[in-house]
Amino acid sequence: MKARAVVLLGAPGAGKGTQARELSRRLSIPQISTGDILRDAVRRQTLLGLQAKAKMEAGELVPDEVVCGIVEERISQPDNEKGFILDGFPRTLAQAEFLARVLRARGQGEPQVLNLGVDRDILLKRLTGRRICTTCGEIYNIYLNPPRQDEVCDKDGTKLLRRADDNEESIRHRLAAYENETQPLIDYYRRQNLLREVDGSRPPEAVSRDVVSSLRRA
Ligand code: AMP
């Protein structure tokens, strides 16, 4: 597979983070997750974190200028020369157009876009059951993929946490933001013939196989 920009599209809970992590390992190219970068900024209480915190906890999108700035800065780092995987970006039409301009300026051409499709009832189960290890980043689900010991990471024994925005109210807003702002990107990329659909409702290993073969075929 040659160097390229891969975009993972999908609703909150579709498995973008899980798939991006696995793909990053397989292709040895970085995963760029705007959500992770923002959460880290919130934890460290940087100016960016302070700007983003309220929006994130409410399940609303952080303004385009802020997120585009993060991505442009991250893409320009040297570890992206072989390519990169965008997880959670773009999320609006303005962000997608921005990305197209940045890629053109880098001579990198069109992104490869995979849409992870998942039904709403599965999304809700994944979001309400999600637990994260803050030490190693492993993602569990108390219904679908529970740790061996309740609420504790199998790998390093860290107590698992629920994301601040994985509560009912925020989840409702995040799904609405997805439907209003992000879903139109499916058509945007389909019209450009850049979109590939992957059924994201199956277990992660099965989805991962499809993700890799979709990219190989492209
Ligand atoms: P995620 O981890 O991708 O689910 O993102 C968590 C939260 O970070 C989102 O609900 C937004 O508040 C914010 N966020 C992440 N990526 C973006 C983006 N591309 N545009 C706007 N807000 C974002």
Side-chain angles (χ1 to χ4, degrees):
M1 261 183 266
K2 74 176 197 313
R4 55 182 52 136
V6 177
V7 168
L8 292 182
L9 281 186
K16 299 185 295 296
T18 303
Q19 293 305 323
R21 242 164 93 94
E22 175 62 13
L23 202 54
S24 162
R25 198 183 58 75
R26 284 195 193 210
L27 304 183
S28 304
I29 58 175
Q31 165 192 9
I32 301 180
S33 158
T34 43
D36 284 350
I37 294 171
L38 289 165
R39 272 185 293 278
D40 183 57
V42 170
R43 236 182 339 263
R44 291 190 290 116
Q45 300 188 323
T46 62
L47 185 60
L48 170 66
L50 296 174
Q51 287 172 333
K53 186 169 192 273
K55 291 268 182 211
M56 291 177 76
E57 285 181 359
E60 290 167 15
L61 294 185
V62 172
D64 287 336
E65 317 80 75
V66 175
V67 186
C68 289
I70 294 175
V71 169
E72 189 168 29
E73 203 272 325
R74 180 66 187 85
I75 287 179
S76 67
Q77 290 172 19
D79 61 336
N80 293 305
E81 265 159 24
K82 279 173 56 200
F84 49 85
I85 301 153
L86 288 168
D87 149 20
F89 183 94
R91 257 177 158 101
T92 65
L93 212 47
Q95 293 178 17
E97 286 167 352
F98 175 84
L99 176 66
R101 285 197 296 280
V102 170
L103 294 180
R104 256 199 308 277
R106 289 167 55 88
Q108 217 169 339
E110 312 288 8
Q112 286 181 287
V113 185
L114 298 180
N115 184 46
L116 300 175
V118 177
D119 289 343
R120 198 181 168 95
D121 51 338
I122 301 181
L123 292 176
L124 288 174
K125 210 166 192 178
R126 286 187 181 168
L127 292 167
T128 53
R130 175 160 59 185
R131 299 291 184 274
I132 313 265
C133 173
T134 49
T135 303
C136 70
E138 193 65 26
I139 303 168
Y140 296 87
N141 187 291
I142 55 169
Y143 309 115
L144 308 165
N145 169 34
R148 282 194 295 273
Q149 191 190 332
D150 254 9
E151 307 286 336
V152 173
C153 179
D154 292 346
K155 292 190 174 162
D156 50 43
T158 306
K159 183 165 166 33
L160 300 178
L161 289 185
R162 196 172 175 168
R163 259 172 58 166
D165 59 353
D166 278 346
N167 62 74
E168 220 172 287
E169 174 84 359
S170 301
I171 289 172
R172 211 154 14 90
H173 285 124
R174 286 159 67 204
L175 290 173
Y178 169 74
E179 277 158 25
N180 297 330
E181 307 277 353
T182 311
Q183 228 165 12
L185 296 185
I186 296 178
D187 267 346
Y188 169 83
Y189 284 120
R190 192 179 282 134
R191 278 197 302 275
Q192 299 176 59
N193 209 13
L194 298 176
L195 188 86
R196 285 171 184 265
E197 297 280 359
V198 173
D199 173 4
S201 58
R202 294 158 309 147
E205 306 73 40
V207 178
S208 175
R209 276 194 294 278
D210 274 10
V211 163
V212 170
S213 65
S214 264
L215 289 177
R216 288 224 164 94
R217 276 199 308 275

